[in-house]
Amino acid sequence: GSTIDFNGPGAANIGASNFNTVTFSGAGTKTATGALNILGNTTITNNFSAGIYSHTILVNWTNNGTFSANTSTISFSGTSSTITGSNSSTFNNLTINVAGGATLGVATSVSGTLTLTSGKIDLGIYNLTITSTGSISGGSATSYVKTSGTGRLKQTVPGSGAIKNYPVGHSA
């Protein structure tokens, strides 16, 4: 499939669209002004603002730039996904609905709701932090947080700033 690269020299608005693979590059912030459905990979090399919309990602997320979640929801819903990049991502709402599971390749945070619908999220050696304003919903015997390394599920305790570590297990 094709790749669309939003690489203009200035800021740009991106309306509701379906894409195969998308790269957000070039100068200026690229801002979603509608829901984006991305069937392939999403790569941020400069600035991407998700706005107030729900976006669906079917494959991988790579943040090598600046991601602004605002009040958006990012839903992973393919067969397997990786969240990675040279910069960590802080999502507002993050939904994992990935039959083959999702894997962290970078420390990741959620400031809204982490929704576990289908598939596991494997932390590997990276931490998944739920901020003091965040929460976790869903989860089941087939949809949960696991680690295959030293990664931890953490939450910032509201009002104190202290970090609470949650136990997660190893699972095949």
Side-chain angles (χ1 to χ4, degrees):
S2 62
T3 298
I4 302 296
D5 186 359
F6 292 98
N7 66 354
N13 292 330
I14 304 163
S17 300
N18 297 313
F19 298 107
N20 185 32
T21 298
V22 174
T23 299
F24 301 102
S25 64
T29 300
K30 309 312 183 232
T31 302
T33 58
L36 304 179
N37 294 304
I38 302 170
L39 303 176
N41 296 319
T42 301
T43 303
I44 302 166
T45 60
N46 192 20
N47 297 309
F48 172 58
S49 173
I52 62 172
Y53 303 95
S54 293
H55 309 292
T56 302
I57 313 294
L58 265 60
V59 188
N60 300 318
W61 173 276
T62 303
N63 182 11
N64 295 327
T66 301
F67 169 62
S68 300
N70 302 306
T71 59
S72 69
T73 297
I74 303 294
S75 297
F76 288 89
S77 62
T79 55
S80 67
S81 296
T82 301
I83 300 170
T84 191
S86 57
N87 294 326
S88 62
S89 292
T90 297
F91 296 97
N92 178 50
N93 296 318
L94 175 64
T95 299
I96 303 298
N97 187 18
V98 182
T103 303
L104 293 188
V106 66
T108 302
S109 298
V110 178
S111 61
T113 302
L114 169 64
T115 302
L116 301 169
T117 304
S118 175
K120 303 165 190 92
I121 183 167
D122 187 347
L123 306 181
I125 62 170
Y126 301 98
N127 293 333
L128 175 59
T129 302
I130 310 302
T131 68
S132 62
T133 58
S135 63
I136 301 172
S137 73
S140 68
T142 60
S143 182
Y144 52 88
V145 177
K146 73 171 201 155
T147 187
S148 59
T150 57
R152 294 177 181 231
L153 174 61
K154 305 162 94 172
Q155 184 167 27
T156 307
V157 178
S160 74
I163 301 292
K164 178 179 180 175
N165 288 304
Y166 288 91
V168 295
H170 298 275
S171 176

